[in-house]
Amino acid sequence: MDHHCPWVNNCIGMYNQKHFVLFLLYTALACLYSFVLLIVRATYCPTHSDSEFCASRTKKEASLDMFCGILAFFLGLVFCMFCCVML
């Protein structure tokens, strides 16, 4: 047993380190994917405000989208850096 990880609530050792690294990698990919989707929405909605996808969007929602996108990007970077260190 190497150490106890509070993220997965389990001990990380030689036999389950692969699963731990895959968990981190999938989490990083999910963060980066959500960042890309939020950026696409942020670039699409100002030019197509009459579409059904953007019709009910307020300024508060747009600023929340940008905040969540930036947060997801930095979380994805942190998880990617941790995965690179683990390999």
Side-chain angles (χ1 to χ4, degrees), residues 46-60:
T47 58
H48 300 88
S49 60
D50 57 342
S51 72
E52 189 176 318
F53 179 66
C54 304
S56 63
R57 189 168 180 221
T58 63
K59 294 281 186 187
K60 187 177 180 180

Side-chain angles (χ1 to χ4, degrees), residues 38-51:
L38 286 170
I39 291 299
V40 166
R41 180 176 175 170
T43 56
Y44 177 79
C45 284
T47 58
H48 300 88
S49 60
D50 57 342
S51 72

Side-chain angles (χ1 to χ4, degrees), residues 1-3 11-20:
M1 174 176 68
D2 289 342
H3 69 282
C11 294
I12 306 301
M14 182 174 65
Y15 297 114
N16 63 352
Q17 187 173 13
K18 174 189 172 191
H19 303 291
F20 179 67

Side-chain angles (χ1 to χ4, degrees), residues 30-41:
C31 287
L32 294 175
Y33 179 70
S34 65
F35 174 72
V36 167
L37 288 179
L38 286 170
I39 291 299
V40 166
R41 180 176 175 170

Side-chain angles (χ1 to χ4, degrees), residues 2 13 19 51 63 65 67 73:
D2 289 342
H19 303 291
S51 72
S63 61
D65 281 349
F67 174 74
F73 177 72

